[in-house]
Amino acid sequence: MKVYCWINIVLTIAILGIGGCSPTPKSKPSPTPSTIEAKLELDNLSFNQVDKQGKPWWKVRAQHGVYAPDKKLAKVTNLEGDLYQDGQIILHITAKTGEIEQEGEKVILRGDVVTKETRNNLILIGQEVEWQPKADLLTIRDRVQANHPKFQVNANEGKYLTRKQQMDLSGKITTFSNDPRLAMQTEHITWLVKDQKVIGDRPTQIQRYRDNQITDRVTANGFSSALDRKILNLQGNVQLNSIKPLIQVNGESFAWNLDKELVTAARPLTIVHQKEAVTLNGNSGELDLKGSIATLNGNARGVATRNQAKLRADRLVWEMTSQQLIGTGNVVYQQIDPVIKFTGTRSVGKLQDQSIVVTSDNKQQVRTEFIPK
C-alpha cells in the first residue's frame, strides 16, 4: 500500500498547514460546483511525498500554490526543494513554477529551473524539468545546460538517470572544456558523470584553442573521452587538421592525448604536409604535435607528389621542421628523374629534393637499379 503525504483539501488546511500527514476530521459532504472549478489557493506551502517504505521521494517549499481537487494537481510558484533517492538528497532544485500530481509520481518544473546534483558537483539548467522518482529519471528540456568543473554542455534535451549517474544529451549539442580548452559540436552524447567519461556516437567536430586561437580541428564519426586523463579516442573516418605543424592526419581511429599533444594510432593512418607536398602512411603510427615528429610503422611509405620520389621501409621517422625522413628496415627508394631504385636497410634525406642516401649494414649491400627510359 502506498503511503502519500499530500495536501488535504479541507477547511482545516489553513490551520494545520500543508507539511506532513496529519489526520483530518470528517466533515459533511458539500455539493461539488458544476460550473465553477473547485480550487484552493494557499501561501507559504511545504509538502512532501514518500515511497512504500516511508522514505522521502521529494520535499518542496513554495511561495504560493493553487490546488484543483478535480484534476488532482497542484500548481505552485517560486519553489525550492530536494529530490531524494534511497532516502538521501541527490538533487536540489529551484524554479519559477511547478506542477505536482497528487499521486506524487511526477513533478514538472518550469521557468529558469536550476538543479544541483549533490554527489558530482554538477549543475543542470533548463526551462522545463520533469522528475519521475520511480524511474530515477530527471528530464531537462529547452536551452539545456550541464555544468561541471571539467566539462560543460549545451543541448536541446537531457535525460539524467540518477541511479546510474548517467546523462544522455541530444539535439544540437555544443560542449566545452577549459583544461585543455576545447569546443565540440555533435548531436548525441552519453556522459558517465561519476566515471568522468563522455561517449559520442554521431558525427563530431572538435576545435582546440590556445591563446584564443584555434590550433587543431578534428572531425570523426564518434569518440570517447576520459576527462580525468585528458585523452580523446576518435573513431570512424577521423581527420585532424593541425595549424602547427601545418599537416592533415587521416585514419579510422586514433587516440589524442591532449596534455602530451600526442596522436597514437594502432590502425593505418596517413599524414599529409600540404606545403611540402609530402604524404606518409603506415599500418600504425605516432604523431608528436609538440615536437613535430611523426613515426610510422609497418609497410610505411612516403611520397613527394611534386617529383614522385618514393620511399618504403618497415619504419619511417619524419622530422617535420627539418623535413628529414629516416627509414629503417627493408628500405626501398625510387625516383623517376633520373629513373633509379635503391634498396638497403637504412635511409636518410629529403624526398622533396631527392636527396635520399641509402645504406646497409654489414650483412647486406646497397642494391642500385638504373632503369632506362
Side-chain angles (χ1 to χ4, degrees):
M1 180 178 177
K2 296 182 180 179
V3 180
Y4 294 114
C5 297
W6 190 248
I7 306 175
N8 298 305
I9 308 304
V10 292
L11 295 177
T12 54
I13 283 182
I15 301 174
L16 298 177
I18 305 303
C21 293
S22 301
T24 58
K26 295 182 179 179
S27 59
K28 294 181 180 180
S30 57
T32 302
S34 58
T35 58
I36 301 175
E37 180 181 346
K39 64 181 180 180
L40 181 66
E41 295 192 30
L42 297 166
D43 293 324
N44 300 319
L45 303 175
S46 177
F47 49 97
N48 62 72
Q49 184 69 40
V50 299
D51 61 15
K52 293 179 181 180
Q53 289 74 39
K55 295 179 180 179
W57 267 352
W58 46 261
K59 294 182 180 180
V60 173
R61 300 166 295 281
Q63 187 179 51
H64 182 76
V66 177
Y67 178 70
D70 56 336
K71 296 182 179 179
K72 297 182 179 181
L73 183 71
K75 295 184 178 182
V76 295
T77 58
N78 296 328
L79 63 94
E80 179 180 0
D82 298 310
L83 309 182
Y84 290 73
Q85 185 173 279
D86 300 329
Q88 301 295 320
I89 296 174
I90 58 169
L91 302 168
H92 180 77
I93 56 170
T94 59
K96 288 183 178 179
T97 64
E99 295 179 5
I100 305 171
E101 294 181 355
Q102 184 167 352
E103 294 299 317
E105 296 183 4
K106 185 186 293 185
V107 178
I108 299 176
L109 310 168
R110 295 187 176 91
D112 298 332
V113 186
V114 178
T115 305
K116 296 181 180 179
E117 209 273 19
T118 59
R119 297 166 296 183
N120 296 294
N121 200 12
L122 177 65
I123 298 177
L124 307 173
I125 300 172
Q127 295 305 304
E128 179 178 294
V129 168
E130 181 179 313
W131 169 237
Q132 298 178 54
K134 273 192 172 181
D136 298 318
L137 175 63
L138 187 79
T139 303
I140 311 104
R141 304 182 183 95
D142 191 5
R143 288 172 279 169
V144 175
Q145 297 178 45
N147 299 320
H148 185 271
K150 293 184 179 179
F151 193 61
Q152 298 84 47
V153 185
N154 294 333
N156 295 120
E157 181 174 287
K159 293 181 180 293
Y160 187 52
L161 301 169
T162 57
R163 191 168 296 280
K164 291 183 178 180
Q165 299 179 53
Q166 172 181 314
M167 173 75 74
D168 290 305
L169 295 132
S170 58
K172 187 177 181 181
I173 296 174
T174 304
T175 76
F176 304 92
S177 68
N178 294 321
D179 183 23
R181 191 178 172 198
L182 294 177
M184 180 186 301
Q185 300 83 39
T186 188
E187 293 183 349
H188 179 264
I189 63 172
T190 298
W191 183 1
L192 307 177
V193 180
K194 182 180 179 181
D195 297 331
Q196 298 192 58
K197 294 181 180 179
V198 181
I199 301 167
D201 58 359
R202 307 288 170 82
T204 303
Q205 297 83 44
I206 303 169
Q207 302 84 39
R208 181 172 187 175
Y209 292 82
R210 186 176 288 107
D211 298 328
N212 296 321
Q213 299 293 323
I214 295 176
T215 60
D216 306 279
R217 297 179 186 271
V218 176
T219 59
N221 290 341
F223 74 94
S224 62
S225 176
L227 298 178
D228 54 340
R229 296 174 58 201
K230 302 178 185 178
I231 293 175
L232 274 172
N233 294 297
L234 302 151
Q235 304 96 28
N237 197 24
V238 185
Q239 184 177 102
L240 182 150
N241 289 279
S242 173
I243 303 300
K244 187 178 181 180
L246 187 59
I247 57 171
Q248 183 181 100
V249 186
N250 299 284
E252 276 303 305
S253 64
F254 52 73
W256 185 12
N257 188 313
L258 298 163
D259 253 4
K260 296 181 179 179
E261 298 189 43
L262 190 67
V263 172
T264 305
R267 300 181 65 182
L269 81 161
T270 300
I271 303 173
V272 181
H273 197 299
Q274 295 177 348
K275 183 179 178 181
E276 297 293 336
V278 174
T279 300
L280 268 68
N281 54 63
N283 292 341
S284 63
E286 184 176 275
L287 174 62
D288 181 352
L289 292 168
K290 185 182 293 185
S292 297
I293 296 175
T295 303
L296 296 111
N297 301 300
N299 196 27
R301 299 170 182 265
V303 178
T305 55
R306 293 194 184 109
N307 57 24
Q308 290 302 303
K310 299 178 181 179
L311 181 65
R312 185 175 73 245
D314 293 338
R315 176 186 175 93
L316 289 176
V317 178
W318 189 18
E319 299 174 356
M320 284 173 273
T321 302
S322 66
Q323 286 298 304
Q324 180 170 264
L325 186 61
I326 302 170
T328 55
N330 297 309
V331 172
V332 178
Y333 170 70
Q334 291 176 277
Q335 65 182 46
I336 61 174
D337 189 17
V339 180
I340 195 170
K341 179 179 178 181
F342 295 104
T343 59
T345 58
R346 178 179 169 83
S347 64
V348 179
K350 298 180 180 180
L351 281 176
Q352 301 93 310
D353 54 13
Q354 301 181 154
S355 60
I356 297 291
V357 176
V358 179
T359 59
S360 285
D361 55 26
N362 296 328
K363 298 179 181 179
Q364 179 180 341
Q365 292 183 343
V366 175
R367 182 179 176 182
T368 305
E369 296 181 27
F370 294 96
I371 305 172
K373 294 184 179 180

